[in-house]
Amino acid sequence: MESRVLKPVLAVYCAAFILFLYGPMIVLAILSFQGAGGGPQFPIIEWSTYWYQHLLGLTPPGRITQLPIGDALLRSLTLAFMTTVVSTVLGVMTAQGFRTRFKGSGIVFYLVILGMIVPGVLVGLGMALFSNMAGVARAWWGTAFVLHVVYTFPFAFLVMLAILNRFDRSVEEASLSLGVSPAQTFRRVTFPMIFPGVLSAMLFSFTLSYDEFSRTLFTSGRELTLPLTIYGTFSVEIYPNIFAFGVLTTLFSFTLLAIYALLMLRAVRKGQAFKGQEAEA
Amino acid sequence: MYDLELNRVGKTYSDGTVAVADFDLRVGKGEFVAFLGPSGCGKSTTLRMIAGFEEITNGDILIKGKNVSSIPPERRPTSMIFQNYALFPHMSVRQNIGFGLDVKHLSKTEKDSKVDRIMDMFGLTPFADRKADKLSGGQRQRIALARGLVVEPDILLLDEPLGALDANLRRVIQNELKLLQRELGITFVFVTHAQSEALGLSDRIVVMNRGRVEQIGTPHEVYANPKTEFVARFIGSNAIIEGQNLSIADGIGAVDTAFGRMRGRPAETVRAGEGVLVAIPAEAMRISRRGAADALPAENRLNGTIAMRHAVGSVQHFQIDLDGRQRVDVETSTDNRDLMQLAVGDAVTVDCPSENVTLVARG
Ligand SMILES: Nc1ncnc2c1ncn2[C@@H]1O[C@H](COP(=O)(O)OP(=O)(O)O)[C@@H](O)[C@H]1O
Ligand SMILES: [Mg+2]
């Protein structure tokens, strides 16, 4: 009785969810194959890979300039990488610290979490003012980087906290009681066991930093990151080359996810069958 | 020199819980000591203080004469075995066992031969390359034991190591453990809340209650000569009867009870003139049909009716109702034909020689 009503409702809900999730991406992907003379809308005047070639500078120079994204892409990737490393290390260390209750741990927790809660534009603006006052030049690898860490570190921290909460302390104690130092115990027992969590924390940090906009807007200085650059091109005129780029970045994200999934699978497998690991060691 | 010495050791947790207080113990080399007591009495806390996982808030712990109170766990010559095995899930059986040797400065052949030897000893060789999680509970506990012993600790600490195993397997591993300990001559400190384990395995038992030591003695001592009411109630199955006006003569105490005058050996803690508890072991009592025993010389006679009876293997359990005032348990052998014919409701008399009865202080 109930399922007769509920099922179709759920089905519609699901369909709508998928439509809104993938619809824009699919439209974007279709339009990216617009012909040379076409605009950023339907109809498709001719199917071609012209805008992909245009993006990569393979078309003869014309009225429309190439998207200035080469340097920005490199910057964004570097920034995301730096952020990932720092945030994950900080996240793991902080979560590790939170395993033993200490005085004021509640306050520290909220201070850390604040970084992901406060509106990005405000933090960005505040940082810009602050760096002006302090006489520090704004740069994507400086002021923006700090804000990226402040923003992504809480995510990494929360992921690690959830993982360590379920962690069985006696496994570490067993290692200590065998005469293995705390540092070695962390490296050889704790870390391998929390590695899937570390991967997730890295993925969070990377993706959040890679497309961060509001915090970067006021703090990156003259050299822009990728999201800022793309936004900048909108103010001129939109051509389908943006869509081609969108498709490529989406593919890049999927690649990252695939790598994540593979590493995860390997970590989980490692915890299951040991013949392979034995051979490696 | 003792292998392990606890001098007035105490532990108060940061939330104010007094988990252990005034714990005094000396353990000789190769001794098998069991901490026995109900859940929450501070057994694990004490064991963890010996291992170094819990800070000692009072007193000192010495291992082989050396004060280890402020030495971290990895530098103490102890090895701990956990109830949940605490194996490294990302390592094979062989890697688990060899783990503690990796940080010692041993050649690879030396290490391998040690690991091989102990795996052989525990029958783990066929599983060497398997993942520990995929093995049975008994095998996992053997891995944990092998891992803890291969580093050659002075003291092996075991926190309810058999608690997660089923009854049959528990008996098997219990026997293995006892043999192993004799063979290796390593000092074992074993925590359990099951008296059968403590009584069956250890050379000495430390009976604990609410963070305090109630009695330390051989299994026979704590079983046959309880020093306190707690021990009398906790160990074995004693009938406990209240008595007044203790008088002691020639090492035998006599008290007045609701069932007449009763005699027994007074524990050191009791004083003449005081009220005490009479503890009579269930299996030391003799049971006979009312009237039939009257002619026999008998001490500590109690009259009652059979309220319940059931047999477990070769042991016959009776519950005797003493005129509606109290019930006591009696255990006899099922070999006795006469007793096997007693039925619920029959009037009986039980008695017990005074040398088997203990008089302990109340409270
Ligand atoms: N980390 C802790 N903080 C506060 N109290 C604790 C802690 N660990 C144990 N306790 C308390 O200390 C007492 C003894 O605990 P424990 O040593 O684990 O007992 P046992 O092993 O005999 O069951 C218990 O009352 C328990 O609640
Ligand atoms: Mg315990």
Side-chain angles (χ1 to χ4, degrees):
Chain A
M1 179 59 204
E2 208 174 72
S3 80
R4 225 185 299 162
V5 186
L6 203 62
K7 258 192 184 162
V9 171
L10 280 178
V12 169
Y13 175 78
C14 241
F17 183 79
I18 289 175
L19 185 72
F20 286 117
L21 185 65
Y22 292 105
M25 247 191 274
I26 291 167
V27 171
L28 202 120
I30 294 172
L31 283 175
S32 73
F33 292 101
Q34 178 71 286
Q41 68 271 317
F42 289 102
I44 303 280
I45 56 161
E46 178 199 6
W47 294 97
S48 81
T49 55
Y50 173 83
W51 294 107
Y52 287 90
Q53 295 169 33
H54 184 274
L55 188 72
L56 301 171
L58 300 176
T59 50
R63 186 176 61 84
I64 302 154
T65 50
Q66 202 191 334
L67 272 183
I69 50 171
D71 291 342
L73 179 64
L74 196 66
R75 258 175 239 136
S76 268
L77 285 176
T78 314
L79 180 58
F81 179 76
M82 284 160 44
T83 307
T84 301
V85 172
V86 174
S87 282
T88 307
V89 170
L90 278 180
V92 171
M93 283 183 357
T94 316
Q96 184 80 5
F98 267 83
R99 287 175 71 184
T100 43
R101 283 265 154 270
F102 55 91
K103 250 204 174 124
S105 61
I107 293 169
V108 176
F109 179 83
Y110 286 110
L111 280 180
V112 170
I113 298 306
L114 207 62
M116 66 190 249
I117 296 174
V118 286
V121 184
L122 289 186
V123 187
L125 204 58
M127 186 63 154
L129 293 172
F130 180 75
S131 64
N132 261 357
M133 274 163 27
V136 179
R138 280 172 286 166
W140 61 270
W141 47 264
T143 41
F145 169 62
V146 169
L147 283 193
H148 278 218
V149 169
V150 169
Y151 175 48
T152 59
F153 154 56
F155 287 92
F157 166 67
L158 285 182
V159 170
M160 292 322 297
L161 202 63
I163 296 284
L164 287 171
N165 255 342
R166 286 181 294 142
F167 193 86
D168 179 8
R169 177 137 248 169
S170 64
V171 178
E172 291 169 314
E173 289 177 342
S175 168
L176 292 174
S177 101
L178 292 169
V180 180
S181 69
Q184 283 283 325
T185 296
F186 181 78
R187 197 176 71 73
R188 298 193 51 198
V189 176
T190 317
F191 190 77
M193 287 176 72
I194 62 172
F195 184 65
V198 174
L199 270 184
S200 306
M202 286 171 69
L203 187 75
F204 263 114
S205 306
F206 192 93
T207 49
L208 287 173
S209 162
Y210 182 61
D211 77 347
E212 213 297 320
F213 184 85
S214 51
R215 287 168 181 77
T216 327
L217 186 59
F218 299 112
T219 53
S220 78
R222 200 161 302 148
E223 296 178 317
L224 300 181
T225 61
L226 190 64
L228 297 182
T229 308
I230 291 174
Y231 187 72
T233 61
F234 292 168
S235 53
V236 190
E237 195 176 352
I238 295 176
Y239 298 103
N241 56 358
I242 288 265
F243 302 153
F245 179 71
V247 168
L248 290 183
T249 43
T250 308
L251 285 180
F252 171 72
S253 298
F254 278 141
T255 314
L256 271 188
L257 269 178
I259 293 172
Y260 168 77
L262 277 176
L263 285 175
M264 198 67 139
L265 209 66
R266 226 175 72 114
V268 171
R269 272 229 204 90
K270 235 182 190 175
Q272 271 164 11
F274 282 93
K275 292 244 154 98
Q277 200 196 15
E278 197 79 281
E280 266 171 52
Chain B
M1 187 176 55
Y2 295 104
D3 248 25
L4 175 66
E5 247 182 281
L6 276 70
N7 294 326
R8 299 186 69 78
V9 168
K11 171 76 189 180
T12 307
Y13 281 107
S14 53
D15 64 358
T17 311
V18 179
V20 180
D22 293 332
F23 199 119
D24 267 314
L25 177 69
R26 293 181 182 20
V27 181
K29 167 125 190 74
E31 220 185 329
F32 195 134
V33 171
F35 292 175
L36 173 65
S39 179
C41 72
K43 307 178 296 286
S44 296
T45 302
T46 311
L47 201 71
R48 292 170 57 77
M49 284 194 284
I50 299 171
F53 297 131
E54 235 38 276
E55 202 190 325
I56 305 164
T57 48
N58 273 308
D60 279 311
I61 293 179
L62 280 70
I63 296 176
K64 287 202 178 301
K66 187 177 169 209
N67 192 337
V68 296
S69 303
S70 52
I71 291 180
E74 70 272 13
R75 302 223 313 272
R76 295 192 189 189
T78 54
S79 214
M80 181 127 159
I81 307 293
F82 299 83
Q83 179 174 3
N84 65 356
Y85 322 123
L87 299 176
F88 309 126
H90 56 298
M91 295 183 199
S92 67
V93 172
R94 167 179 282 282
Q95 287 173 325
N96 260 282
I97 295 172
F99 186 78
L101 294 176
D102 291 350
V103 293
K104 301 217 158 44
H105 299 284
L106 294 175
S107 70
K108 184 162 162 40
T109 50
E110 214 175 330
K111 181 194 155 190
D112 284 350
S113 82
K114 275 182 194 247
V115 173
D116 285 340
R117 203 169 339 123
I118 202 133
M119 280 203 303
D120 191 43
M121 197 161 136
F122 281 89
L124 292 168
T125 314
F127 315 110
D129 294 321
R130 280 232 234 139
K131 191 210 174 195
D133 283 23
K134 291 288 180 289
L135 300 177
S136 73
Q139 283 160 343
R140 273 144 80 182
Q141 197 52 288
R142 286 194 188 97
I143 297 168
L145 282 166
R147 182 181 69 177
L149 285 167
V150 79
V151 296
E152 294 164 13
D154 288 336
I155 303 172
L156 194 72
L157 307 168
L158 307 100
D159 193 351
E160 312 223 11
L162 312 177
L165 304 175
D166 64 65
N168 289 328
L169 200 53
R170 199 177 307 162
R171 254 196 309 281
V172 172
I173 305 233
Q174 211 169 311
N175 290 334
E176 285 183 8
L177 213 55
K178 185 72 204 160
L179 286 174
L180 185 77
Q181 196 265 343
R182 287 250 171 82
E183 213 168 292
L184 298 174
I186 293 179
T187 306
F188 274 35
V189 181
F190 184 98
V191 160
T192 179
H193 65 265
Q195 54 167 304
S196 66
E197 273 176 24
L199 292 168
L201 283 171
S202 57
D203 300 322
R204 266 199 306 159
I205 297 180
V206 179
V207 185
M208 295 179 66
N209 180 34
R210 295 159 169 243
R212 286 179 184 276
V213 174
E214 290 275 339
Q215 185 171 356
I216 301 179
T218 63
H220 181 261
E221 276 166 8
V222 297
Y223 191 87
N225 304 324
K227 269 191 187 165
T228 66
E229 177 183 356
F230 176 80
V231 178
R233 289 189 190 276
F234 190 71
I235 308 263
S237 85
N238 289 304
I240 309 273
I241 293 164
E242 293 202 20
Q244 332 286 341
N245 299 323
L246 173 67
S247 61
I248 302 175
D250 298 333
I252 290 290
V255 288
D256 298 322
T257 73
F259 310 99
R261 198 132 173 92
M262 299 186 79
R263 286 165 207 287
R265 289 167 294 102
E268 300 153 28
T269 47
V270 298
R271 298 277 166 271
E274 283 175 358
V276 295
L277 296 172
V278 182
I280 316 170
E283 72 287 350
M285 278 187 264
R286 198 167 55 161
I287 186 166
S288 49
R289 244 176 234 288
R290 182 107 35 107
D294 286 353
L296 300 171
E299 288 181 291
N300 300 320
R301 214 183 278 244
L302 300 167
N303 287 329
T305 54
I306 294 178
M308 212 165 75
R309 55 169 294 176
H310 69 276
V312 178
S314 61
V315 180
Q316 176 66 47
H317 297 265
F318 290 99
Q319 198 171 70
I320 313 292
D321 183 55
L322 303 178
D323 302 336
R325 275 181 288 190
Q326 191 174 345
R327 287 186 174 197
V328 295
D329 290 323
V330 178
E331 284 172 21
T332 66
S333 162
T334 48
D335 292 347
N336 191 326
R337 302 239 161 200
D338 291 343
L339 294 188
M340 294 309 283
Q341 288 172 2
L342 290 173
V344 170
D346 286 357
V348 292
T349 299
V350 293
D351 67 272
C352 181
S354 58
E355 69 255 31
N356 291 333
V357 175
T358 314
L359 306 177
V360 297
R362 206 173 285 158

